[in-house]
Amino acid sequence: MSTLSLKKGQPVALTSTLNMSLITQSDLPDIIDMLGNPAVNEYLFFAPAPVEVYEGFFGPIIENTKSAIVAGEWPEQLTVVFRNTKGTYMGMAGLPSVMFLEGNFEVGYQLAEHAWGQGIATQAAQYLTALAFNELNAHKVTADCYASNIGSYKTLEKCGFNREGCQKGYYKVENGFVDRLHYGMTKVDFFAQANSTK
């Protein structure tokens, strides 16, 4: 799969039925619509929120992405959007750098409800994790999720992430509080796994 084409702002095939591209302004309505779905935002601490909050958050990411494409660089807050071959929005994923910690990145993903159960999150996490270590000189990639979000932590485990910790009662939910699970993978872990599958 061509990371060079993605870096240039061109869509690339993640699977035979799914394309991935860097975020653009035209993706924002689909993203906002997805984050407004109660089934999706059940496991998101930042959603639901007013449209202005999303515009304020994603606006600078979209602008930075445009500038990065022109400069031939990876965006600072690398964010990709998935659409099927018919152009239907399926979800998004991100690989932001961790502030003040050079070489550390976080991977995250949110899928539209109609895209659940198709392995998209796993494919996305694998792709972005490989990109972090192969292209961005990452030292470590981390992720976190609600303990009640079984699909999310199973995805991370399937991708080779190790559970590194748990913050008890971290997220407030309708019925009380839920633990926050922390996952991580070092460069050594990544290349050891890559070599073991050859």
Side-chain angles (χ1 to χ4, degrees):
M1 190 183 312
S2 172
T3 55
L4 183 58
S5 295
L6 183 67
K7 191 177 183 180
K8 288 179 176 177
Q10 300 163 1
V12 297
L14 184 64
T15 68
S16 61
T17 59
L18 199 69
N19 293 320
M20 172 176 58
S21 56
L22 292 173
I23 190 172
T24 67
Q25 187 66 38
S26 62
D27 296 315
L28 197 50
D30 287 325
I31 292 170
I32 291 170
D33 187 53
M34 172 187 70
L35 295 176
N37 181 346
V40 173
N41 63 45
E42 179 182 357
Y43 301 115
L44 300 175
F45 68 88
F46 55 84
V51 169
E52 295 77 19
V53 171
Y54 296 135
E55 290 172 341
F57 178 78
F58 287 107
I61 292 173
I62 291 166
E63 287 305 311
N64 173 259
T65 300
K66 275 199 271 188
S67 301
I69 290 168
V70 171
E73 300 170 351
W74 286 110
E76 290 171 15
Q77 304 292 313
L78 202 158
T79 305
V80 294
V81 168
F82 310 107
R83 294 185 182 276
N84 66 18
T85 48
K86 294 178 181 175
T88 303
Y89 175 83
M90 303 295 276
M92 64 183 293
L95 186 70
S97 56
V98 177
M99 196 179 292
F100 306 126
L101 290 174
E102 187 177 350
N104 285 33
F105 294 84
E106 295 175 327
V107 67
Y109 37 81
Q110 294 90 40
L111 299 181
E113 189 174 5
H114 60 260
W116 293 359
Q118 301 174 37
I120 296 171
T122 301
Q123 295 273 358
Q126 287 173 336
Y127 182 91
L128 290 178
T129 301
L131 192 152
F133 290 115
N134 291 323
E135 298 266 337
L136 303 178
N137 196 30
H139 156 69
K140 183 159 189 172
V141 177
T142 58
D144 65 76
C145 65
Y146 287 48
S148 53
N149 191 351
I150 297 167
S152 189
Y153 71 70
K154 290 286 187 191
T155 290
L156 293 169
E157 290 169 0
K158 205 181 296 181
C159 292
F161 281 79
N162 300 303
R163 188 180 295 189
E164 297 182 336
C166 172
Q167 287 176 289
K168 296 286 186 185
Y170 187 84
Y171 293 117
K172 188 174 185 353
V173 293
E174 198 174 325
N175 306 344
F177 295 89
V178 171
D179 297 348
R180 180 190 193 188
L181 303 181
H182 293 271
Y183 283 82
M185 185 188 300
T186 65
K187 192 173 198 171
V188 172
D189 295 334
F190 175 78
F191 286 108
Q193 288 174 32
N195 290 331
S196 70
T197 57
K198 285 181 180 175

